[in-house]
Amino acid sequence: MKQNILAIFLLCLTVCAENSNAQSELPKADANQKWWKEAIVYQIYPRSFKDSNGDGVGDLKGIISELDYIKSLGVDVVWLNPIYQSPNFDNGYDVSDYRKILPEFGTMADFDSLLNGMHRRGIKLVMDLVVNHSSNEHEWFQKSQSSRNNPYRNYYHWWNAENGKPPYRYSLFDINHDAWKYDTLTNAYYLHYFSDKQPDLNWENPKVRNEVYNIMRFWADKGIDGFRLDAFQFVAKDTTFPMFPKGFEKDFTRYYAMQGNIHGYLQQMNQQIFSKYDVMSVAEGAGNTFEDAHNLVDSNRHELNIAYAFNGVDLAKPNGYSLLQFKSIFSQWDSAFEHSGWLAVFLANHDQARMVSRFGNDLPQFRTHSSQMLSTFLLTMRGTPFYYNGDELGMTNPKFSSIHDYRDQVILDEYKHTQMTGGNVQALLKNLSFGARDNGRTPFQWDSSRNAGFTTGMSWIGINANYKTVNVAVEENDPNSCLHYFRKLVQLRKNNPTLVYGKYTLLDKANPQVYAYLREDAAGKFLILLNFSAKDAVFSSPTLSAKAKVVLANYVKTPITPITITLKNKMPLRPYEAMVIRL
Ligand code: GLC
Ligand code: CA
């Protein structure tokens, strides 16, 4: 294999070396260096990671038992999806007590030993904070709902029915997409941007904000290292509830995101919490424009650290996506954040189907190379990689074919709605098997034993049929596996701050198959070549010719001894081939 690659490089052999005098203008190490910029965030979906007691549901003790595995990846921050007390309508994104652990997941003592075990290994913990809404079973809501005069009434948004129907608001999760739910008890409607079991908190009420800061203090005092603020771009509202134009729901984030005094609230939160603890902060969603995103994270504003925007991850559609568009989105975001602010870089999370199935190719012959190629992208871009558990194995969508395979209530409601309104159920199922959130929530694949080593009981959701070939144990034994490759990528990024802070320059822009870019600073220069297609491709760049070393490549057998090559103008790439080349 090594021979092969050398032969290909030799084809491009030339002796000219590039002379660059631009080095002095490149970014240098300075006060802008932060641990959360250098971190690699590994997202763990607790329900599906590891079950310790055979009830079929992943739990904290399960995560504790695999801390050495997490450490072995080299990642240094774990983001945990919600583990708080919850009726679990939306898998923990409906919190009924922010200071308690969901019994299914364990106890507070388990949490403390998890945090301790992480810190002992040099791993930081970021918690999910779900405060755009609570559960309808939270005691605040129960009190708020009980009477119009209850002191908690203004913790949520109510519209008295004698004033007529409230102006239409779109709900992302409601079966009828209606975000106002009528409640007979007080003859009023309450607002829920998500499901009716997730009433929106009234951030305009200073008492609500103080409650949230106290919750944040509770966790920060325990020693956690950061917060991921769920759906936060939606928290502020114009509580006069003006009428929105007809059809606004097609573009609802224009009307819902970054409204009212959201930046005032974030500055207050920063002053109360972020400035007092060494914690990182990231909010889900970054509004509608670069300006919105900058307003969240530019350091002189004292709000958040990292902007998490969806423009890239939203691109994949069942019939594919355009690499040209993909390159253009990531390049535009990079250049918009070249001088200030900081971004998250990600292609998957618990709300998305699997990265390799959406952006790569999950056919057996391409799965490994294409997942490795995508991981190469994530770990060589500027910005903090948010890497989703299981992607380091190249886990794929499970290809569920029946609605009974799904557990996500939002999907089940959408299905019912489609049935009731005479919609095309088969088409919906097809779309779901490509894009549904449950695709990314099937159990983590540990080994080839029953239930992929995830549980000794009945898993809460089906296990991917490919678990006998795609799992940790098998991949540990294969030096060319996704897992080993991921570890090498992590080390490469850790050892080369150039990949964190260095300037990014897109090359061969119009190439529809290849994504190629430079990362460079005063300390060094890397060329990253990624063939995003299932066909042979050719990278070409008329200006690039240099002596170079391949430091990581997914077609080369491990361990890599750096291969010196001389690049000129053209470089052939095999299907989903990825290379990191030091120039
Ligand atoms: C966020 C979460 C998602 C959840 C929703 C409502 O988008 O990531 O999982 O369903 O908020 O809390
Ligand atoms: Ca369990």
Side-chain angles (χ1 to χ4, degrees):
M1 192 72 97
K2 216 179 271 175
Q3 249 59 32
N4 260 350
I5 214 159
L6 258 181
I8 289 166
F9 291 149
L10 287 173
L11 284 179
C12 331
L13 196 92
T14 139
V15 273
C16 43
E18 196 187 46
N19 229 334
S20 160
N21 53 12
Q23 297 272 310
S24 53
E25 294 154 27
L26 297 172
K28 291 211 182 68
D30 59 30
N32 284 328
Q33 296 195 342
K34 301 279 183 228
W35 67 262
W36 43 264
K37 292 184 181 175
E38 292 168 21
I40 296 169
V41 179
Y42 181 70
Q43 183 189 349
I44 292 184
Y45 196 67
R47 213 176 173 71
S48 302
F49 195 62
K50 177 90 182 182
D51 174 22
S52 72
N53 62 350
D55 66 354
V57 174
D59 45 52
L60 300 186
K61 282 204 168 103
I63 302 174
I64 293 171
S65 72
E66 295 298 348
L67 283 176
D68 287 336
Y69 169 75
I70 298 164
K71 175 73 186 166
S72 81
L73 298 175
V75 298
D76 36 24
V77 173
V78 164
W79 153 27
L80 269 194
N81 289 99
I83 53 170
Y84 316 101
Q85 181 74 266
S86 162
N88 252 329
F89 173 82
D90 186 22
N91 288 7
Y93 281 95
D94 45 331
V95 180
S96 54
D97 190 331
Y98 292 94
R99 290 180 180 81
K100 288 219 169 84
I101 302 291
L102 180 74
E104 254 184 338
F105 286 160
T107 62
M108 194 55 90
D110 295 334
F111 174 80
D112 292 338
S113 56
L114 174 64
L115 182 61
N116 202 337
M118 284 187 178
H119 283 172
R120 266 192 287 118
R121 290 169 178 82
I123 301 169
K124 295 182 191 287
L125 177 61
V126 168
M127 299 276 282
D128 218 309
L129 185 72
V130 191
V131 288
N132 171 70
H133 45 269
S134 72
S135 160
N136 61 334
E137 294 186 21
H138 195 290
E139 66 163 336
W140 300 334
F141 188 74
Q142 313 251 288
K143 287 178 179 159
S144 181
Q145 192 178 28
S146 67
S147 92
R148 287 189 180 188
N149 302 322
N150 190 282
Y152 285 84
R153 186 66 167 180
N154 288 330
Y155 271 45
Y156 297 86
H157 297 285
W158 291 95
W159 177 280
N160 293 337
E162 63 271 21
N163 299 329
K165 277 200 88 164
Y168 177 59
R169 287 296 179 269
Y170 167 76
S171 161
L172 283 83
F173 286 3
D174 186 74
I175 191 158
N176 297 314
H177 300 303
D178 182 354
W180 290 107
K181 166 104 171 172
Y182 177 69
D183 193 33
T184 45
L185 191 63
T186 56
N187 187 35
Y189 299 83
Y190 66 85
L191 184 72
H192 60 92
Y193 278 0
F194 294 90
S195 88
D196 60 2
K197 299 188 170 53
Q198 296 165 297
D200 281 44
L201 283 160
N202 178 7
W203 272 75
E204 283 61 42
N205 180 351
K207 284 191 188 147
V208 168
R209 301 200 297 274
N210 281 327
E211 297 270 13
V212 172
Y213 306 146
N214 283 334
I215 291 164
M216 293 174 86
R217 266 179 215 112
F218 173 84
W219 291 100
D221 285 338
K222 275 187 167 288
I224 70 156
D225 306 285
F227 294 97
R228 177 260 186 192
L229 307 179
D230 181 69
F232 202 82
Q233 58 178 347
F234 300 144
V235 297
K237 278 128 191 149
D238 177 346
T239 53
T240 64
F241 293 107
M243 198 65 105
F244 289 158
K246 208 169 158 27
F248 84 91
E249 62 275 15
K250 291 191 195 79
D251 198 12
F252 68 91
T253 55
R254 295 228 163 260
Y255 296 83
Y256 281 14
M258 306 302 162
Q259 297 299 300
N261 192 22
I262 187 166
H263 295 295
Y265 304 156
L266 279 171
Q267 282 159 15
Q268 187 180 47
M269 185 185 282
N270 185 298
Q271 187 250 327
Q272 301 256 338
I273 309 294
F274 301 140
S275 65
K276 305 253 159 60
Y277 300 87
D278 185 19
V279 289
M280 65 169 254
S281 53
V282 53
E284 184 194 26
N288 296 298
T289 59
F290 294 139
E291 194 190 344
D292 280 349
H294 271 296
N295 286 343
L296 285 177
V297 296
D298 281 2
S299 59
N300 60 353
R301 296 182 54 90
H302 304 290
E303 296 186 21
L304 300 170
N305 297 144
I306 303 177
Y308 188 96
F310 293 114
N311 306 61
V313 80
D314 280 349
L315 207 59
K317 296 283 175 310
N319 54 356
Y321 67 98
S322 138
L323 179 65
L324 293 180
Q325 236 181 320
F326 184 96
K327 294 199 279 189
S328 147
I329 286 176
F330 280 97
S331 302
Q332 282 175 31
W333 276 88
D334 184 87
S335 68
F337 281 74
E338 188 170 355
H339 301 298
S340 60
W342 195 253
L343 298 172
V345 180
F346 65 100
L347 288 177
N349 60 38
H350 64 291
D351 292 328
Q352 308 289 339
R354 282 287 168 187
M355 168 173 93
V356 68
S357 303
R358 296 181 74 225
F359 288 98
N361 190 327
D362 62 12
L363 290 174
Q365 67 272 34
F366 294 126
R367 186 190 64 83
T368 299
H369 283 143
S370 72
S371 338
Q372 291 169 332
M373 185 277 294
L374 294 169
S375 297
T376 312
F377 166 71
L378 292 171
L379 272 79
T380 57
M381 287 293 281
R382 180 162 47 190
T384 301
F386 278 61
Y387 197 86
Y388 189 57
N389 63 182
D391 286 347
E392 76 275 26
L393 307 175
M395 278 180 63
T396 67
N397 282 359
K399 310 258 181 324
F400 289 153
S401 56
S402 151
I403 192 64
H404 303 297
D405 295 327
Y406 292 95
R407 297 291 174 271
D408 182 354
Q409 198 54 48
V410 180
I411 292 173
L412 302 178
D413 282 351
E414 191 63 36
Y415 186 85
K416 247 188 263 161
H417 184 72
T418 308
Q419 264 183 331
M420 273 163 23
T421 54
N424 186 340
V425 171
Q426 284 317 313
L428 177 69
L429 278 175
K430 194 154 172 268
N431 280 342
L432 289 176
S433 83
F434 173 80
R437 313 198 285 185
D438 278 343
N439 289 298
R441 298 177 177 182
T442 65
F444 194 89
Q445 294 162 206
W446 292 100
D447 58 39
S448 308
S449 69
R450 209 176 131 253
N451 296 325
F454 163 70
T455 180
T456 54
M458 265 282 283
S459 171
W460 71 278
I461 188 170
I463 290 168
N464 195 316
N466 67 10
Y467 77 88
K468 291 203 171 159
T469 48
V470 182
N471 68 54
V472 174
V474 163
E475 298 197 26
E476 288 285 8
N477 288 326
D478 172 4
N480 297 316
S481 64
C482 293
L483 178 58
H484 281 294
Y485 185 83
F486 178 69
R487 288 187 179 126
K488 279 188 271 180
L489 262 174
V490 169
Q491 287 318 311
L492 187 69
R493 189 174 178 90
K494 290 279 154 206
N495 295 335
N496 293 285
T498 305
L499 293 174
V500 176
Y501 296 108
K503 181 177 162 61
Y504 158 99
T505 313
L506 178 66
L507 301 177
D508 201 4
K509 184 174 164 199
N511 193 324
Q513 290 172 278
V514 176
Y515 194 168
Y517 47 94
L518 296 173
R519 298 297 315 282
E520 58 188 313
D521 63 9
K525 184 168 182 175
F526 291 92
L527 167 66
I528 290 96
L529 298 180
L530 308 168
N531 181 356
F532 267 69
S533 79
K535 301 220 165 74
D536 287 335
V538 178
F539 157 71
S540 73
S541 168
T543 54
L544 191 88
S545 80
K547 285 215 155 132
K549 277 196 164 93
V550 178
V551 291
L552 192 57
N554 64 345
Y555 267 78
V556 180
K557 282 214 170 87
T558 54
I560 293 173
T561 36
I563 308 165
T564 304
I565 57 159
T566 306
L567 284 167
K568 198 194 174 192
N569 303 350
K570 288 198 182 333
M571 171 71 86
L573 294 164
R574 287 165 281 187
Y576 301 108
E577 184 155 18
M579 281 186 216
V580 182
I581 296 167
R582 192 194 295 276
L583 297 178

